[in-house]
Amino acid sequence: MLEGIAVGTSTVELAASLYLSRKGVEYRIGLMLRQFQVPNRVALVSRAHSIGMLTVGTWPPRVPKHFVVQTD
């Protein structure tokens, strides 16, 4: 989801690609905003980039595998 936010994907597009509802995506984005203590998506991407959570020098930005949590 963070990768999609970083490239400017809309909430509706994220929901469709992740098989979630629009409200589900908004909820998860809200959780990330609170966790990173930022006011908006731009600040979220900036904070994620500054702590190394998004790769440098690639487009689209990717989240390194050691930051990905697998849920089953």
Side-chain angles (χ1 to χ4, degrees):
M1 188 172 297
L2 184 58
E3 293 171 357
I5 294 169
V7 297
T9 307
S10 73
T11 301
V12 173
E13 292 170 328
L14 281 171
S17 67
L18 297 171
Y19 303 103
L20 295 169
S21 69
R22 179 183 56 81
K23 288 287 188 185
V25 170
E26 289 172 352
Y27 173 76
R28 286 166 176 82
I29 291 172
L31 288 176
M32 286 191 282
L33 294 175
R34 284 188 295 282
Q35 182 178 9
F36 286 92
Q37 299 176 350
V38 294
N40 55 45
R41 291 176 180 214
V42 174
L44 174 64
V45 171
S46 176
R47 177 75 49 88
H49 188 275
S50 71
I51 64 171
M53 205 166 178
L54 290 171
T55 56
V56 177
T58 62
W59 190 259
R62 296 284 179 216
V63 175
K65 291 185 189 278
H66 64 276
F67 282 108
V68 177
V69 176
Q70 295 293 326
T71 57
D72 294 323

Short mmCIF file of all heavy atoms in Angstrom, two decimals:
data_model
loop_
_atom_site.label_atom_id
_atom_site.label_comp_id
_atom_site.label_asym_id
_atom_site.label_seq_id
_atom_site.Cartn_x
_atom_site.Cartn_y
_atom_site.Cartn_z
N MET A 1 0.82 -1.18 0.00
CA MET A 1 0.00 0.00 0.00
C MET A 1 0.87 1.25 0.00
O MET A 1 0.56 2.21 -0.69
CB MET A 1 -0.93 -0.02 1.22
CG MET A 1 -1.94 1.07 1.19
SD MET A 1 -3.21 0.98 2.46
CE MET A 1 -4.01 -0.54 2.06
N LEU A 2 1.95 1.23 0.76
CA LEU A 2 2.85 2.37 0.82
C LEU A 2 3.46 2.67 -0.55
O LEU A 2 3.60 3.82 -0.94
CB LEU A 2 3.95 2.13 1.86
CG LEU A 2 4.93 3.28 2.10
CD1 LEU A 2 4.20 4.55 2.53
CD2 LEU A 2 5.95 2.87 3.16
N GLU A 3 3.79 1.63 -1.29
CA GLU A 3 4.32 1.83 -2.64
C GLU A 3 3.30 2.54 -3.53
O GLU A 3 3.65 3.43 -4.30
CB GLU A 3 4.72 0.49 -3.26
CG GLU A 3 5.89 -0.16 -2.57
CD GLU A 3 6.14 -1.59 -3.04
OE1 GLU A 3 5.37 -2.11 -3.88
OE2 GLU A 3 7.12 -2.19 -2.57
N GLY A 4 2.05 2.15 -3.42
CA GLY A 4 0.99 2.79 -4.19
C GLY A 4 0.80 4.24 -3.81
O GLY A 4 0.62 5.11 -4.66
N ILE A 5 0.86 4.52 -2.52
CA ILE A 5 0.75 5.90 -2.05
C ILE A 5 1.91 6.72 -2.60
O ILE A 5 1.74 7.85 -3.04
CB ILE A 5 0.71 5.95 -0.50
CG1 ILE A 5 -0.55 5.27 0.01
CG2 ILE A 5 0.81 7.38 0.00
CD1 ILE A 5 -0.56 5.02 1.51
N ALA A 6 3.10 6.13 -2.60
CA ALA A 6 4.30 6.85 -3.06
C ALA A 6 4.22 7.25 -4.52
O ALA A 6 4.77 8.28 -4.91
CB ALA A 6 5.55 6.00 -2.81
N VAL A 7 3.54 6.47 -5.34
CA VAL A 7 3.44 6.81 -6.76
C VAL A 7 2.17 7.59 -7.09
O VAL A 7 1.91 7.91 -8.24
CB VAL A 7 3.55 5.56 -7.68
CG1 VAL A 7 4.89 4.91 -7.54
CG2 VAL A 7 2.43 4.58 -7.43
N GLY A 8 1.37 7.89 -6.06
CA GLY A 8 0.20 8.73 -6.26
C GLY A 8 -1.07 8.00 -6.63
O GLY A 8 -2.00 8.60 -7.16
N THR A 9 -1.14 6.72 -6.35
CA THR A 9 -2.33 5.94 -6.66
C THR A 9 -3.49 6.40 -5.78
O THR A 9 -3.31 6.60 -4.57
CB THR A 9 -2.07 4.43 -6.43
OG1 THR A 9 -0.91 4.06 -7.16
CG2 THR A 9 -3.24 3.58 -6.87
N SER A 10 -4.64 6.56 -6.37
CA SER A 10 -5.80 7.02 -5.60
C SER A 10 -6.31 5.93 -4.67
O SER A 10 -5.99 4.75 -4.82
CB SER A 10 -6.94 7.43 -6.56
OG SER A 10 -7.52 6.28 -7.15
N THR A 11 -7.13 6.33 -3.74
CA THR A 11 -7.72 5.39 -2.78
C THR A 11 -8.53 4.32 -3.51
O THR A 11 -8.44 3.13 -3.21
CB THR A 11 -8.61 6.14 -1.76
OG1 THR A 11 -7.81 7.10 -1.08
CG2 THR A 11 -9.24 5.19 -0.77
N VAL A 12 -9.33 4.73 -4.48
CA VAL A 12 -10.17 3.80 -5.22
C VAL A 12 -9.31 2.81 -6.01
O VAL A 12 -9.59 1.61 -6.04
CB VAL A 12 -11.15 4.56 -6.15
CG1 VAL A 12 -11.90 3.62 -7.06
CG2 VAL A 12 -12.11 5.40 -5.32
N GLU A 13 -8.25 3.31 -6.64
CA GLU A 13 -7.35 2.42 -7.40
C GLU A 13 -6.63 1.45 -6.47
O GLU A 13 -6.48 0.27 -6.80
CB GLU A 13 -6.33 3.24 -8.19
CG GLU A 13 -6.94 4.04 -9.31
CD GLU A 13 -5.96 5.03 -9.93
OE1 GLU A 13 -5.09 5.55 -9.22
OE2 GLU A 13 -6.10 5.28 -11.14
N LEU A 14 -6.18 1.92 -5.29
CA LEU A 14 -5.56 1.03 -4.32
C LEU A 14 -6.54 -0.04 -3.87
O LEU A 14 -6.18 -1.23 -3.78
CB LEU A 14 -5.08 1.81 -3.10
CG LEU A 14 -3.78 2.58 -3.22
CD1 LEU A 14 -3.56 3.46 -2.00
CD2 LEU A 14 -2.62 1.65 -3.41
N ALA A 15 -7.77 0.35 -3.60
CA ALA A 15 -8.78 -0.59 -3.15
C ALA A 15 -9.00 -1.69 -4.20
O ALA A 15 -9.04 -2.88 -3.86
CB ALA A 15 -10.09 0.14 -2.86
N ALA A 16 -9.10 -1.30 -5.45
CA ALA A 16 -9.33 -2.28 -6.51
C ALA A 16 -8.14 -3.22 -6.67
O ALA A 16 -8.32 -4.44 -6.81
CB ALA A 16 -9.61 -1.56 -7.84
N SER A 17 -6.94 -2.69 -6.62
CA SER A 17 -5.76 -3.53 -6.83
C SER A 17 -5.46 -4.43 -5.64
O SER A 17 -4.85 -5.49 -5.79
CB SER A 17 -4.53 -2.68 -7.16
OG SER A 17 -4.15 -1.90 -6.04
N LEU A 18 -5.89 -4.03 -4.44
CA LEU A 18 -5.63 -4.82 -3.22
C LEU A 18 -6.85 -5.64 -2.78
O LEU A 18 -6.80 -6.31 -1.75
CB LEU A 18 -5.20 -3.90 -2.08
CG LEU A 18 -3.89 -3.13 -2.31
CD1 LEU A 18 -3.69 -2.10 -1.21
CD2 LEU A 18 -2.73 -4.10 -2.37
N TYR A 19 -7.94 -5.56 -3.56
CA TYR A 19 -9.17 -6.29 -3.24
C TYR A 19 -9.70 -5.92 -1.86
O TYR A 19 -10.09 -6.77 -1.06
CB TYR A 19 -8.98 -7.81 -3.36
CG TYR A 19 -8.50 -8.23 -4.73
CD1 TYR A 19 -7.17 -8.56 -4.94
CD2 TYR A 19 -9.37 -8.23 -5.81
CE1 TYR A 19 -6.72 -8.92 -6.19
CE2 TYR A 19 -8.93 -8.59 -7.07
CZ TYR A 19 -7.60 -8.93 -7.26
OH TYR A 19 -7.16 -9.27 -8.51
N LEU A 20 -9.69 -4.61 -1.58
CA LEU A 20 -10.21 -4.08 -0.34
C LEU A 20 -11.29 -3.06 -0.68
O LEU A 20 -11.38 -2.57 -1.81
CB LEU A 20 -9.12 -3.37 0.47
CG LEU A 20 -7.97 -4.22 0.98
CD1 LEU A 20 -6.86 -3.33 1.53
CD2 LEU A 20 -8.46 -5.17 2.06
N SER A 21 -12.09 -2.70 0.31
CA SER A 21 -13.04 -1.62 0.10
C SER A 21 -12.31 -0.28 0.20
O SER A 21 -11.21 -0.20 0.75
CB SER A 21 -14.15 -1.67 1.16
OG SER A 21 -13.63 -1.35 2.43
N ARG A 22 -12.95 0.76 -0.30
CA ARG A 22 -12.37 2.10 -0.20
C ARG A 22 -12.18 2.48 1.26
O ARG A 22 -11.15 3.02 1.66
CB ARG A 22 -13.28 3.11 -0.90
CG ARG A 22 -12.77 4.53 -0.85
CD ARG A 22 -13.75 5.50 -1.51
NE ARG A 22 -15.08 5.47 -0.96
CZ ARG A 22 -15.46 6.10 0.16
NH1 ARG A 22 -14.60 6.83 0.83
NH2 ARG A 22 -16.70 6.01 0.59
N LYS A 23 -13.17 2.16 2.09
CA LYS A 23 -13.08 2.45 3.52
C LYS A 23 -11.96 1.65 4.18
O LYS A 23 -11.29 2.15 5.08
CB LYS A 23 -14.41 2.15 4.22
CG LYS A 23 -15.49 3.12 3.90
CD LYS A 23 -15.23 4.43 4.58
CE LYS A 23 -16.40 5.37 4.43
NZ LYS A 23 -16.12 6.67 4.98
N GLY A 24 -11.74 0.42 3.73
CA GLY A 24 -10.65 -0.39 4.26
C GLY A 24 -9.29 0.22 3.97
O GLY A 24 -8.40 0.23 4.83
N VAL A 25 -9.14 0.76 2.76
CA VAL A 25 -7.89 1.42 2.39
C VAL A 25 -7.72 2.69 3.21
O VAL A 25 -6.64 2.96 3.75
CB VAL A 25 -7.85 1.71 0.88
CG1 VAL A 25 -6.68 2.62 0.53
CG2 VAL A 25 -7.77 0.42 0.08
N GLU A 26 -8.79 3.49 3.32
CA GLU A 26 -8.71 4.72 4.10
C GLU A 26 -8.35 4.42 5.56
O GLU A 26 -7.56 5.15 6.17
CB GLU A 26 -10.03 5.47 4.03
CG GLU A 26 -10.29 6.09 2.67
CD GLU A 26 -11.69 6.68 2.53
OE1 GLU A 26 -12.53 6.50 3.45
OE2 GLU A 26 -11.95 7.31 1.50
N TYR A 27 -8.91 3.36 6.11
CA TYR A 27 -8.61 2.97 7.48
C TYR A 27 -7.13 2.64 7.63
O TYR A 27 -6.46 3.11 8.56
CB TYR A 27 -9.47 1.77 7.88
CG TYR A 27 -9.12 1.19 9.23
CD1 TYR A 27 -9.51 1.84 10.40
CD2 TYR A 27 -8.38 0.02 9.33
CE1 TYR A 27 -9.18 1.31 11.64
CE2 TYR A 27 -8.04 -0.50 10.56
CZ TYR A 27 -8.44 0.14 11.71
OH TYR A 27 -8.11 -0.37 12.94
N ARG A 28 -6.59 1.84 6.72
CA ARG A 28 -5.19 1.43 6.81
C ARG A 28 -4.24 2.60 6.60
O ARG A 28 -3.20 2.70 7.26
CB ARG A 28 -4.91 0.30 5.82
CG ARG A 28 -5.50 -1.02 6.28
CD ARG A 28 -5.54 -2.05 5.15
NE ARG A 28 -6.02 -3.34 5.61
CZ ARG A 28 -7.30 -3.67 5.75
NH1 ARG A 28 -8.24 -2.77 5.49
NH2 ARG A 28 -7.65 -4.87 6.15
N ILE A 29 -4.60 3.50 5.71
CA ILE A 29 -3.78 4.70 5.51
C ILE A 29 -3.82 5.56 6.78
O ILE A 29 -2.79 6.07 7.22
CB ILE A 29 -4.24 5.50 4.27
CG1 ILE A 29 -3.92 4.71 3.00
CG2 ILE A 29 -3.58 6.88 4.24
CD1 ILE A 29 -4.50 5.31 1.73
N GLY A 30 -4.98 5.67 7.38
CA GLY A 30 -5.09 6.41 8.65
C GLY A 30 -4.21 5.82 9.74
O GLY A 30 -3.58 6.55 10.50
N LEU A 31 -4.16 4.49 9.79
CA LEU A 31 -3.28 3.83 10.75
C LEU A 31 -1.82 4.20 10.51
O LEU A 31 -1.07 4.48 11.44
CB LEU A 31 -3.43 2.31 10.68
CG LEU A 31 -4.71 1.70 11.22
CD1 LEU A 31 -4.73 0.19 10.97
CD2 LEU A 31 -4.89 2.00 12.69
N MET A 32 -1.41 4.19 9.23
CA MET A 32 -0.02 4.54 8.91
C MET A 32 0.26 6.00 9.26
O MET A 32 1.34 6.31 9.78
CB MET A 32 0.27 4.27 7.43
CG MET A 32 0.42 2.82 7.10
SD MET A 32 1.08 2.53 5.44
CE MET A 32 -0.38 2.83 4.46
N LEU A 33 -0.69 6.89 8.98
CA LEU A 33 -0.50 8.31 9.31
C LEU A 33 -0.28 8.49 10.81
O LEU A 33 0.61 9.23 11.23
CB LEU A 33 -1.69 9.14 8.84
CG LEU A 33 -1.92 9.23 7.33
CD1 LEU A 33 -3.22 9.99 7.04
CD2 LEU A 33 -0.76 9.88 6.62
N ARG A 34 -1.08 7.79 11.61
CA ARG A 34 -0.92 7.89 13.06
C ARG A 34 0.37 7.24 13.53
O ARG A 34 1.06 7.78 14.39
CB ARG A 34 -2.13 7.27 13.76
CG ARG A 34 -3.36 8.16 13.70
CD ARG A 34 -4.51 7.64 14.55
NE ARG A 34 -5.06 6.38 14.08
CZ ARG A 34 -5.89 6.25 13.06
NH1 ARG A 34 -6.27 7.32 12.38
NH2 ARG A 34 -6.37 5.08 12.72
N GLN A 35 0.70 6.09 12.97
CA GLN A 35 1.92 5.39 13.38
C GLN A 35 3.16 6.23 13.09
O GLN A 35 4.08 6.29 13.91
CB GLN A 35 2.02 4.05 12.66
CG GLN A 35 3.24 3.24 13.05
CD GLN A 35 3.29 1.90 12.35
OE1 GLN A 35 2.52 1.62 11.44
NE2 GLN A 35 4.21 1.07 12.77
N PHE A 36 3.18 6.89 11.94
CA PHE A 36 4.34 7.70 11.57
C PHE A 36 4.21 9.14 12.05
O PHE A 36 5.09 9.96 11.82
CB PHE A 36 4.55 7.67 10.05
CG PHE A 36 5.11 6.38 9.56
CD1 PHE A 36 4.28 5.35 9.14
CD2 PHE A 36 6.48 6.17 9.53
CE1 PHE A 36 4.80 4.16 8.68
CE2 PHE A 36 7.01 4.98 9.08
CZ PHE A 36 6.16 3.96 8.66
N GLN A 37 3.09 9.46 12.69
CA GLN A 37 2.83 10.79 13.23
C GLN A 37 2.99 11.89 12.18
O GLN A 37 3.75 12.85 12.35
CB GLN A 37 3.74 11.06 14.44
CG GLN A 37 3.51 10.07 15.55
CD GLN A 37 4.46 10.26 16.72
OE1 GLN A 37 5.42 11.02 16.65
NE2 GLN A 37 4.18 9.58 17.82
N VAL A 38 2.28 11.70 11.07
CA VAL A 38 2.31 12.67 9.98
C VAL A 38 0.88 13.07 9.61
O VAL A 38 -0.05 12.31 9.84
CB VAL A 38 3.06 12.09 8.75
CG1 VAL A 38 4.53 11.88 9.06
CG2 VAL A 38 2.42 10.79 8.27
N PRO A 39 0.71 14.26 9.02
CA PRO A 39 -0.65 14.75 8.73
C PRO A 39 -1.26 14.30 7.41
O PRO A 39 -2.48 14.38 7.24
CB PRO A 39 -0.46 16.27 8.74
CG PRO A 39 0.95 16.46 8.27
CD PRO A 39 1.72 15.29 8.85
N ASN A 40 -0.44 13.85 6.46
CA ASN A 40 -0.99 13.53 5.14
C ASN A 40 -0.11 12.52 4.40
O ASN A 40 0.95 12.13 4.89
CB ASN A 40 -1.17 14.80 4.31
CG ASN A 40 0.11 15.59 4.18
OD1 ASN A 40 1.18 15.03 3.93
ND2 ASN A 40 0.02 16.90 4.37
N ARG A 41 -0.56 12.13 3.21
CA ARG A 41 0.15 11.12 2.42
C ARG A 41 1.55 11.56 2.00
O ARG A 41 2.47 10.76 1.99
CB ARG A 41 -0.66 10.76 1.17
CG ARG A 41 -1.92 10.01 1.45
CD ARG A 41 -2.68 9.79 0.16
NE ARG A 41 -3.91 9.06 0.41
CZ ARG A 41 -4.43 8.19 -0.43
NH1 ARG A 41 -3.86 7.95 -1.59
NH2 ARG A 41 -5.55 7.57 -0.14
N VAL A 42 1.68 12.82 1.63
CA VAL A 42 2.99 13.32 1.20
C VAL A 42 4.00 13.21 2.35
O VAL A 42 5.12 12.73 2.16
CB VAL A 42 2.88 14.79 0.71
CG1 VAL A 42 4.25 15.36 0.41
CG2 VAL A 42 1.99 14.87 -0.52
N ALA A 43 3.59 13.62 3.52
CA ALA A 43 4.47 13.52 4.69
C ALA A 43 4.76 12.06 5.04
O ALA A 43 5.86 11.72 5.47
CB ALA A 43 3.85 14.24 5.88
N LEU A 44 3.77 11.18 4.82
CA LEU A 44 3.97 9.76 5.07
C LEU A 44 5.06 9.19 4.17
O LEU A 44 5.97 8.50 4.64
CB LEU A 44 2.66 9.00 4.85
CG LEU A 44 2.72 7.48 4.94
CD1 LEU A 44 3.09 7.03 6.34
CD2 LEU A 44 1.38 6.89 4.52
N VAL A 45 5.00 9.51 2.90
CA VAL A 45 6.01 9.04 1.96
C VAL A 45 7.37 9.63 2.31
O VAL A 45 8.39 8.93 2.28
CB VAL A 45 5.61 9.37 0.50
CG1 VAL A 45 6.74 9.08 -0.48
CG2 VAL A 45 4.36 8.59 0.11
N SER A 46 7.41 10.90 2.66
CA SER A 46 8.66 11.54 3.05
C SER A 46 9.28 10.86 4.26
O SER A 46 10.47 10.56 4.29
CB SER A 46 8.42 13.02 3.33
OG SER A 46 9.59 13.64 3.79
N ARG A 47 8.47 10.60 5.28
CA ARG A 47 8.96 9.95 6.50
C ARG A 47 9.44 8.53 6.19
O ARG A 47 10.49 8.11 6.65
CB ARG A 47 7.86 9.93 7.55
CG ARG A 47 8.18 9.24 8.85
CD ARG A 47 9.11 10.01 9.79
NE ARG A 47 8.76 11.38 10.02
CZ ARG A 47 7.94 11.84 10.96
NH1 ARG A 47 7.36 11.01 11.80
NH2 ARG A 47 7.71 13.13 11.08
N ALA A 48 8.67 7.78 5.40
CA ALA A 48 9.06 6.41 5.04
C ALA A 48 10.38 6.41 4.27
O ALA A 48 11.25 5.58 4.50
CB ALA A 48 7.97 5.75 4.22
N HIS A 49 10.55 7.37 3.38
CA HIS A 49 11.79 7.47 2.61
C HIS A 49 12.96 7.82 3.52
O HIS A 49 14.05 7.25 3.42
CB HIS A 49 11.63 8.52 1.52
CG HIS A 49 12.77 8.58 0.57
ND1 HIS A 49 13.90 9.31 0.82
CD2 HIS A 49 12.97 7.96 -0.62
CE1 HIS A 49 14.74 9.16 -0.17
NE2 HIS A 49 14.20 8.34 -1.06
N SER A 50 12.73 8.74 4.47
CA SER A 50 13.82 9.19 5.35
C SER A 50 14.31 8.09 6.28
O SER A 50 15.47 8.12 6.69
CB SER A 50 13.40 10.42 6.15
OG SER A 50 12.45 10.07 7.13
N ILE A 51 13.46 7.13 6.63
CA ILE A 51 13.91 6.04 7.50
C ILE A 51 14.33 4.80 6.72
O ILE A 51 14.60 3.76 7.30
CB ILE A 51 12.83 5.67 8.55
CG1 ILE A 51 11.58 5.11 7.89
CG2 ILE A 51 12.52 6.83 9.46
CD1 ILE A 51 10.57 4.53 8.86
N GLY A 52 14.39 4.93 5.39
CA GLY A 52 14.86 3.82 4.57
C GLY A 52 13.81 2.79 4.24
O GLY A 52 14.13 1.68 3.81
N MET A 53 12.55 3.14 4.43
CA MET A 53 11.47 2.20 4.16
C MET A 53 11.08 2.15 2.69
O MET A 53 10.36 1.25 2.28
CB MET A 53 10.26 2.57 5.01
CG MET A 53 9.35 1.44 5.29
SD MET A 53 8.23 1.92 6.61
CE MET A 53 7.28 0.43 6.65
N LEU A 54 11.57 3.08 1.91
CA LEU A 54 11.39 3.06 0.46
C LEU A 54 12.77 3.10 -0.19
O LEU A 54 13.65 3.82 0.26
CB LEU A 54 10.56 4.27 -0.01
CG LEU A 54 9.09 4.26 0.38
CD1 LEU A 54 8.46 5.60 0.05
CD2 LEU A 54 8.34 3.14 -0.31
N THR A 55 12.92 2.32 -1.24
CA THR A 55 14.22 2.24 -1.90
C THR A 55 14.58 3.57 -2.56
O THR A 55 13.72 4.33 -2.99
CB THR A 55 14.23 1.14 -2.97
OG1 THR A 55 13.16 1.38 -3.89
CG2 THR A 55 14.10 -0.23 -2.36
N VAL A 56 15.86 3.82 -2.63
CA VAL A 56 16.37 5.04 -3.23
C VAL A 56 16.84 4.73 -4.64
O VAL A 56 17.45 3.69 -4.89
CB VAL A 56 17.55 5.60 -2.40
CG1 VAL A 56 18.14 6.83 -3.04
CG2 VAL A 56 17.10 5.90 -0.98
N GLY A 57 16.57 5.63 -5.58
CA GLY A 57 17.10 5.48 -6.92
C GLY A 57 16.33 4.53 -7.82
O GLY A 57 16.83 4.14 -8.87
N THR A 58 15.12 4.14 -7.44
CA THR A 58 14.31 3.28 -8.30
C THR A 58 12.93 3.89 -8.49
O THR A 58 12.44 4.61 -7.62
CB THR A 58 14.13 1.86 -7.70
OG1 THR A 58 13.44 1.98 -6.46
CG2 THR A 58 15.44 1.17 -7.50
N TRP A 59 12.34 3.60 -9.61
CA TRP A 59 10.97 4.03 -9.84
C TRP A 59 10.21 2.89 -10.45
O TRP A 59 10.67 2.31 -11.39
CB TRP A 59 10.90 5.25 -10.76
CG TRP A 59 9.52 5.80 -10.79
CD1 TRP A 59 8.58 5.60 -11.75
CD2 TRP A 59 8.89 6.58 -9.78
NE1 TRP A 59 7.42 6.22 -11.42
CE2 TRP A 59 7.58 6.83 -10.20
CE3 TRP A 59 9.30 7.07 -8.55
CZ2 TRP A 59 6.68 7.57 -9.45
CZ3 TRP A 59 8.40 7.81 -7.81
CH2 TRP A 59 7.11 8.05 -8.27
N PRO A 60 9.08 2.51 -9.94
CA PRO A 60 8.47 3.08 -8.75
C PRO A 60 9.21 2.67 -7.49
O PRO A 60 9.91 1.66 -7.48
CB PRO A 60 7.06 2.48 -8.76
CG PRO A 60 7.19 1.21 -9.51
CD PRO A 60 8.28 1.43 -10.51
N PRO A 61 9.05 3.44 -6.41
CA PRO A 61 9.73 3.09 -5.16
C PRO A 61 9.20 1.76 -4.63
O PRO A 61 8.04 1.42 -4.81
CB PRO A 61 9.37 4.23 -4.21
CG PRO A 61 8.26 4.97 -4.85
CD PRO A 61 8.24 4.64 -6.29
N ARG A 62 10.06 1.02 -4.01
CA ARG A 62 9.71 -0.29 -3.45
C ARG A 62 10.03 -0.33 -1.96
O ARG A 62 10.97 0.32 -1.51
CB ARG A 62 10.49 -1.40 -4.14
CG ARG A 62 10.18 -1.56 -5.60
CD ARG A 62 8.85 -2.23 -5.78
NE ARG A 62 8.55 -2.36 -7.20
CZ ARG A 62 7.34 -2.26 -7.69
NH1 ARG A 62 6.33 -2.02 -6.91
NH2 ARG A 62 7.13 -2.39 -8.97
N VAL A 63 9.26 -1.11 -1.23
CA VAL A 63 9.53 -1.34 0.19
C VAL A 63 10.46 -2.55 0.27
O VAL A 63 10.12 -3.62 -0.24
CB VAL A 63 8.22 -1.59 0.97
CG1 VAL A 63 8.53 -1.94 2.42
CG2 VAL A 63 7.31 -0.38 0.90
N PRO A 64 11.65 -2.41 0.88
CA PRO A 64 12.55 -3.56 1.01
C PRO A 64 11.89 -4.72 1.76
O PRO A 64 11.07 -4.51 2.66
CB PRO A 64 13.74 -3.00 1.81
CG PRO A 64 13.69 -1.53 1.56
CD PRO A 64 12.22 -1.19 1.42
N LYS A 65 12.26 -5.93 1.40
CA LYS A 65 11.63 -7.13 1.97
C LYS A 65 11.67 -7.19 3.49
O LYS A 65 10.76 -7.70 4.10
CB LYS A 65 12.28 -8.38 1.38
CG LYS A 65 11.98 -8.58 -0.09
CD LYS A 65 12.52 -9.88 -0.61
CE LYS A 65 12.41 -9.97 -2.10
NZ LYS A 65 11.13 -10.39 -2.59
N HIS A 66 12.74 -6.67 4.11
CA HIS A 66 12.81 -6.76 5.57
C HIS A 66 11.77 -5.89 6.28
O HIS A 66 11.58 -6.01 7.48
CB HIS A 66 14.23 -6.50 6.09
CG HIS A 66 14.73 -5.12 5.82
ND1 HIS A 66 15.32 -4.75 4.62
CD2 HIS A 66 14.75 -4.01 6.59
CE1 HIS A 66 15.66 -3.49 4.67
NE2 HIS A 66 15.35 -3.01 5.85
N PHE A 67 11.09 -5.00 5.56
CA PHE A 67 10.03 -4.20 6.15
C PHE A 67 8.64 -4.80 5.92
O PHE A 67 7.67 -4.35 6.49
CB PHE A 67 10.02 -2.78 5.56
CG PHE A 67 11.07 -1.88 6.13
CD1 PHE A 67 12.17 -1.52 5.38
CD2 PHE A 67 10.96 -1.38 7.42
CE1 PHE A 67 13.14 -0.68 5.89
CE2 PHE A 67 11.91 -0.54 7.95
CZ PHE A 67 13.01 -0.19 7.18
N VAL A 68 8.55 -5.82 5.08
CA VAL A 68 7.26 -6.40 4.72
C VAL A 68 6.88 -7.47 5.74
O VAL A 68 7.65 -8.37 6.05
CB VAL A 68 7.30 -7.01 3.31
CG1 VAL A 68 5.98 -7.67 2.96
CG2 VAL A 68 7.65 -5.94 2.28
N VAL A 69 5.65 -7.35 6.24
CA VAL A 69 5.12 -8.33 7.18
C VAL A 69 4.13 -9.21 6.43
O VAL A 69 3.19 -8.71 5.83
CB VAL A 69 4.41 -7.63 8.37
CG1 VAL A 69 3.77 -8.64 9.28
CG2 VAL A 69 5.37 -6.73 9.11
N GLN A 70 4.36 -10.51 6.46
CA GLN A 70 3.46 -11.45 5.80
C GLN A 70 2.34 -11.82 6.75
O GLN A 70 2.59 -12.16 7.91
CB GLN A 70 4.22 -12.71 5.38
CG GLN A 70 5.26 -12.46 4.32
CD GLN A 70 4.66 -12.06 2.99
OE1 GLN A 70 3.59 -12.50 2.60
NE2 GLN A 70 5.36 -11.19 2.28
N THR A 71 1.10 -11.74 6.29
CA THR A 71 -0.04 -12.17 7.08
C THR A 71 -0.76 -13.27 6.32
O THR A 71 -0.91 -13.21 5.11
CB THR A 71 -1.01 -11.01 7.35
OG1 THR A 71 -1.44 -10.47 6.10
CG2 THR A 71 -0.35 -9.93 8.18
N ASP A 72 -1.16 -14.27 7.03
CA ASP A 72 -1.89 -15.38 6.40
C ASP A 72 -3.23 -15.57 7.02
O ASP A 72 -3.54 -15.25 8.06
CB ASP A 72 -1.09 -16.69 6.52
CG ASP A 72 0.21 -16.62 5.72
OD1 ASP A 72 0.21 -16.03 4.64
OD2 ASP A 72 1.20 -17.16 6.21
#
